[in-house]
Amino acid sequence: MPLSNQKDNEDHTPTQTTKSSSNDDSKGEIVVNRNAVCKVCKRLYREPKILPCLHTFCADCIRQLEPFSVPSVNGQAIESKYGSRCLEKPAVTVLCPECDSEVDIPLSGADGLTTDHLALDEVFLETLANEDIVVCDLCSEGNAEKRCEVCCVNLCEFCSQAHRRQKRTASHTIQCLQELRTQGRLSRPVLCSHHPGQELRLFCDPCNLPVCLECAATFHRDHRCDPTHDVIERHGDSIRELVSSSLRPRLSRLEESLQKVDMSQDALQAHVDAAAGEVRAFARGYACAVEAHCLSLLRRLEELRVQRRNQLHLQRAQLQQSLADARGSVEFAERLLMQGSEIEILSAKGVTLRRLAGLVHSGYDPQPASIATDDGSSICFLPKEQAGEVEGYPVAGVIHAKTLDVTKCSIEGGGLQQGREGQKGEFTLVCRDSAGEQMGRGGEPVLVSIVHKEKKDCTVEATVVDNHDGSYSVSYRPVVPGLYSVWVCVKAKHVKGSPSVLNVKRKVRRHHGVFHCCSFCSSRGSKEARCGCTGTMPGGFQGCGHNHKGHPGKPHWSCCGNVVEQSECLPLSVVAAVSPRSHLRTVEF
């Protein structure tokens, strides 16, 4: 399709409109064409210029952009990659206000950019569409009814006739504004910026620029300049080829990809909202469960308070009753002895003695130190202790109210009775309450003392580890064999089984040879193999052999000659006394 026909079709396409607030407050909101509005100042274009990224803005708006960078080219002219000039001076880089692309602005500024004539057409059409009365641009008095397409001015009837009579403008095309409103498009010539009034009709191929006749005769006289209608097909086809073969398919792919991303964003938001709802529901449920657990703990505390208070009241009543009985009997007896006559004393002797004897033998007479008053110190809150589930939610925090009873504490593990020199020994102390149940928490003062029975200055350091569950791990490492006295105390009181006797045996001497029948067999006939026993063999063999002199007659250890497999290795002094030879082991561990 010829480019001119395509342009005609595009010009007849209805233009989308949007609502925009006019800068004139008296006009209020008007409907304007979005292609006629600058996206920076939000007003109708004034001197619209095209940036290299193909976005259009007012020349003044471009001049106000902050320079991003100024590339250095050592003062030499460079060729513009956008083909807007034959030779370009070093460019200033700015960021496009719409797409944030880095674009180059000539040092001549916005005036060096290409003018967007389509935007000018849109501005004029928008003016016609929104203004009922257009003022003449020449006289500023009459109502404009005509428009000069060459001069781009609106003319009243009188100025239009005068415009036609002037020799310089007699050939200009004059159109009726009403027809332009009806057509909805403009078809006007593009004038040269260097020669006002001259239409751009030629195209300079070397410079890649449209020029007028005067430009072709002066600035481009050595260049090939062809009429625009002769080259429009070739250059239009190059643009059309890029659009149809590459960019249109890319647009489809980009739109499809963007649609997928939008769908993913919607799905992401939906999933996040659903998860957020679940979190809030969980939090509300968990909060209710925690509140219910809190009320349960408070009820448990109140029950303990009432229980302990009743126990104290009962103990107090018992003590008060015993005190009253003892005080009344003592006062009666003392008054009888001090004030009574002999007959009176003897008369009351029987009943008095029976009462006093009853109080002495069967009356409640506790020692003050043995009275275990409950001050509530055993009641505590354990926030990290798991408390099961409440309404399906796991909760933590329990009320601990067990009271330690030293007489019920126990010691577990064989390390309390038997130990080995140089080896680590261990046993466990389990603290229990009066019901015999494990305390379930730590923090009790535990003392462990290990002292040699014969060597009082020989002690073993004991390490106590609180397991925070009512049990305490005790470890020690004795270095001297013998009998030790072990004290295990909680709150300065001995637990059951304390003090006890710890028997630390000397260190076991391990065999470093092999348990064999004879040196000949274990060494596979080696003459140099020796044994810790006294056996010898003829023929140059240095070790023992079956049925030969000195053989023990049974399997034995090659290191010491001991015939017991599960035994300690004999000391070197014993081996030397029995077999003074040097001992080359048949097999080393």
Side-chain angles (χ1 to χ4, degrees), residues 81-101:
K81 57 184 177 181
Y82 303 104
S84 59
R85 288 291 182 268
C86 295
L87 294 175
E88 286 288 344
K89 295 180 180 180
V92 176
T93 303
V94 298
L95 293 180
C96 174
E98 184 169 352
C99 65
D100 285 337
S101 298

Side-chain angles (χ1 to χ4, degrees), residues 125 210 253 274 293 295 368 386 417 426 446 470 503 520 554 571 577 586:
L125 291 175
R253 294 192 297 269
H293 183 53
L295 295 177
Q386 295 299 319
Q417 290 82 24
E426 296 178 321
V446 177
N503 184 12
F520 182 84
K554 60 181 67 175
T586 56

Side-chain angles (χ1 to χ4, degrees), residues 464-479:
V464 180
V465 178
D466 189 347
N467 298 322
H468 303 287
D469 60 355
S471 66
Y472 301 83
S473 298
V474 182
S475 60
Y476 61 91
R477 190 181 298 273
V479 294

Side-chain angles (χ1 to χ4, degrees), residues 211-288:
V211 296
C212 66
L213 292 175
E214 293 189 23
C215 288
T218 55
F219 303 126
H220 304 268
R221 61 177 178 271
D222 296 330
H223 297 170
R224 178 182 174 181
C225 296
D226 299 320
T228 55
H229 60 79
D230 292 341
V231 298
I232 187 60
E233 292 294 335
R234 175 163 56 89
H235 291 282
D237 289 343
S238 63
I239 297 176
R240 191 179 299 108
E241 175 64 22
L242 287 175
V243 172
S244 60
S245 63
S246 299
L247 295 181
R248 277 296 176 187
R250 181 183 296 183
L251 284 177
S252 300
R253 294 192 297 269
L254 290 174
E255 290 174 353
E256 182 179 356
S257 301
L258 181 60
Q259 184 180 7
K260 288 184 178 180
V261 172
D262 291 339
M263 293 175 61
S264 298
Q265 286 183 338
D266 295 340
L268 172 63
Q269 187 63 41
H271 284 92
V272 169
D273 292 342
E278 294 177 0
V279 169
R280 294 188 183 93
F282 175 80
R284 288 192 295 268
Y286 214 141
C288 293

Side-chain angles (χ1 to χ4, degrees), residues 36 46 49 64 92 101 143 161 200 233 274 290 293 436 458 528 530 588:
R46 292 164 296 172
K49 297 292 183 177
Q64 295 174 5
V92 176
S101 298
N143 295 336
Q161 295 177 4
L200 299 177
E233 292 294 335
V290 171
H293 183 53
C458 179
E528 289 77 14
R530 299 180 181 181
E588 294 289 343

Side-chain angles (χ1 to χ4, degrees), residues 550-568:
H551 188 271
K554 60 181 67 175
H556 55 280
W557 286 98
S558 64
C559 50
C560 61
N562 196 330
V563 296
V564 180
E565 183 175 6
Q566 301 297 328
S567 63
E568 292 185 80

Side-chain angles (χ1 to χ4, degrees), residues 34-35 37-40 45 47-59 62 65 82 94-103 105 113-116 119:
R34 64 181 181 86
N35 293 325
V37 176
C38 176
K39 292 181 173 60
V40 174
Y45 283 117
E47 293 187 77
K49 297 292 183 177
I50 304 176
L51 292 179
C53 59
L54 301 184
H55 290 127
T56 301
F57 304 97
C58 298
I62 295 177
L65 296 178
Y82 303 104
V94 298
L95 293 180
C96 174
E98 184 169 352
C99 65
D100 285 337
S101 298
E102 297 181 18
V103 294
I105 305 296
L113 295 172
T114 302
T115 300
D116 190 346

